[in-house]
Amino acid sequence: MEPNASGGGDSDSMQGQLIYSITMPLSSTIILANLLIILAIGCNRQLHTTPNYFFLSLLVADLGTGVALPFIPWMGLNRPLSFGSCLLVHVLPNFLFLAFLFNLVMVHYERYLSIVSPLRHRSLWVHRHFPLALLALWLPPLLFALLPAFGWNNRRSGRAWTGCCRPGVAQLDDGTGTGAESNCSLSDASAGGGSGCCTYKHIFPNAFIYLEVYGILAPAILSIALMTGRVLWITRGQLQDIHRLQRSVAGRGRRQLGLDLRYARCVAAVSLTFLACWVPYIIYTHVGVAFLMRPNARGNHTAHIVLSCAGVGGMAVVPLVLGLANREYTDPIRKFLRKLHDRWRRRRWDAESIAL
């Protein structure tokens, strides 16, 4: 961005440095970890089953979210871009994130069915119609994310430019700036090839955002929480049945205490995962909706960047937690890393022997 008299260039540079300093390490970690688990599943034929294919689809979506992560915080900031470029940098990350969320719900749903109906779980529709279920995970997010490209946007609405000015330049509700350096004129916005001020308000109408948050995101997160709670409740019931059998045979012993401890660890792990991965995103989403309800409110860009990175990055870590907690996925990675370590030690030993 070009600097202006109000010092907006320095502010933009600081915001860019903050975004990349947070997102690049997180994005690199997410991409690398997903690639390792994908390779572990792909190289082991015993893992080529329908549940693992669903999890593989989730890893691919999570990989795309990791790639798009550095671009997501920019969606809440103002940039001078043409309408086509502005549409691309908003629609593509939104599609990848929605696909990730749909895949995450499906993985939880499939595992939920395997516990609720373990005997007939293989005959359920998600297994009998696997290609159709996989298509349903990617096609609806794509169609919904493309709605702004199909015309549901604020391109020709003057109110879309409210707050879309360079730092230090005030703007009225009708979209006109009070300073000479305003970069949000409606003539630039409506021009076919000219650069306007790109912001999410230009691409996503408020109704679209409300529909996505309360029609897709909130039900998806709620369904995951309910399925996880139901699984823990079923596990608790099964644990109590095991306790009754153990008491009838030999009374309370170390095995029962060990089972109680494992269940307590499981509940603690699920609770910590929810607090660390889901709560930041829920806070970020509600803060964003609160600002939509107050169109004239001025937000803190630094807080927005930190919240968006923590929220989306935390959700992107959820599949990695599920993958790394499964020994079937981690054992091939451990063996591969052990081979690399042994080869490195052998070469180092040979080099030292030759030197001597």
Side-chain angles (χ1 to χ4, degrees), residues 26-27 29-30 33-34 37 55 58-59 62 65-66 69 100 104 273 276-278 309-325:
L26 184 59
S27 176
T29 302
I30 292 172
N34 276 289
I37 302 176
F55 193 72
L58 172 61
L59 293 175
D62 192 33
T65 304
L69 183 59
F100 161 78
L104 188 61
T273 301
C277 299
W278 289 103
C309 294
V312 180
M315 287 192 65
V317 172
V318 173
L320 304 182
V321 174
L322 297 176
L324 296 177

Side-chain angles (χ1 to χ4, degrees), residues 125-144:
W125 72 273
V126 292
H127 292 270
R128 289 187 289 108
H129 305 287
F130 166 72
L132 184 62
L134 199 60
L135 182 65
L137 299 179
W138 291 89
L139 187 58
L142 177 62
L143 295 178
F144 184 82

Side-chain angles (χ1 to χ4, degrees), residues 57-130:
S57 177
L58 172 61
L59 293 175
V60 172
D62 192 33
L63 181 65
T65 304
V67 173
L69 183 59
F71 303 97
I72 291 177
W74 289 103
M75 295 173 67
L77 305 177
N78 304 327
R79 291 169 288 174
L81 295 174
S82 64
F83 178 76
S85 300
C86 187
L87 195 65
L88 179 64
V89 299
H90 284 80
V91 168
L92 183 58
N94 194 37
F95 158 64
L96 292 173
F97 179 76
L98 289 175
F100 161 78
L101 192 64
F102 272 58
N103 278 273
L104 188 61
V105 172
M106 176 57 76
V107 167
H108 279 82
Y109 178 65
E110 196 279 332
R111 295 187 177 185
Y112 169 77
L113 291 179
S114 67
I115 294 177
V116 174
S117 304
L119 298 180
R120 59 188 187 93
H121 138 261
R122 297 288 179 182
S123 62
L124 296 175
W125 72 273
V126 292
H127 292 270
R128 289 187 289 108
H129 305 287
F130 166 72

Side-chain angles (χ1 to χ4, degrees), residues 97-316:
F97 179 76
L98 289 175
F100 161 78
L101 192 64
F102 272 58
N103 278 273
L104 188 61
V105 172
M106 176 57 76
V107 167
H108 279 82
Y109 178 65
E110 196 279 332
R111 295 187 177 185
Y112 169 77
L113 291 179
S114 67
I115 294 177
V116 174
S117 304
L119 298 180
R120 59 188 187 93
H121 138 261
R122 297 288 179 182
S123 62
L124 296 175
W125 72 273
V126 292
H127 292 270
R128 289 187 289 108
H129 305 287
F130 166 72
L132 184 62
L134 199 60
L135 182 65
L137 299 179
W138 291 89
L139 187 58
L142 177 62
L143 295 178
F144 184 82
L146 286 176
L147 287 179
F150 294 152
W152 194 14
N153 56 64
N154 283 333
R155 185 181 184 184
R156 303 192 182 280
S157 173
R159 299 189 67 84
W161 299 103
T162 301
C164 181
C165 285
R166 291 177 180 172
V169 181
Q171 188 177 21
L172 303 177
D173 288 341
D174 60 357
T176 59
T178 59
E181 301 213 19
S182 174
N183 64 346
C184 37
S185 63
L186 293 178
S187 59
D188 291 339
S190 58
S195 295
C197 183
C198 175
T199 176
Y200 74 93
K201 295 180 181 179
H202 185 200
I203 301 299
F204 302 128
N206 288 356
F208 178 92
I209 297 176
Y210 290 140
L211 178 60
E212 180 170 336
V213 171
Y214 296 110
I216 299 178
L217 300 183
I221 296 173
L222 183 61
S223 65
I224 291 174
L226 291 176
M227 286 187 288
T228 303
R230 177 61 176 164
V231 168
L232 290 176
W233 183 260
I234 293 174
T235 305
R236 182 175 179 272
Q238 294 174 347
L239 190 62
Q240 290 178 346
D241 293 338
I242 295 174
H243 287 174
R244 294 191 191 98
L245 292 174
Q246 288 180 343
R247 290 195 202 99
S248 63
V249 176
R252 187 176 179 88
R254 293 185 178 180
R255 289 185 179 180
Q256 186 170 340
L257 293 175
L259 290 174
D260 290 338
L261 183 59
R262 290 182 63 182
Y263 180 74
R265 288 176 179 174
C266 179
V267 173
V270 171
S271 302
L272 290 175
T273 301
F274 180 82
L275 291 175
C277 299
W278 289 103
V279 172
Y281 181 75
I282 294 173
I283 294 174
Y284 164 65
T285 303
H286 282 82
V287 168
V289 172
F291 271 94
L292 283 181
M293 295 178 178
R294 299 169 57 194
N296 295 325
R298 297 184 61 85
N300 188 327
H301 287 169
T302 302
H304 160 77
I305 293 170
V306 173
L307 277 177
S308 61
C309 294
V312 180
M315 287 192 65

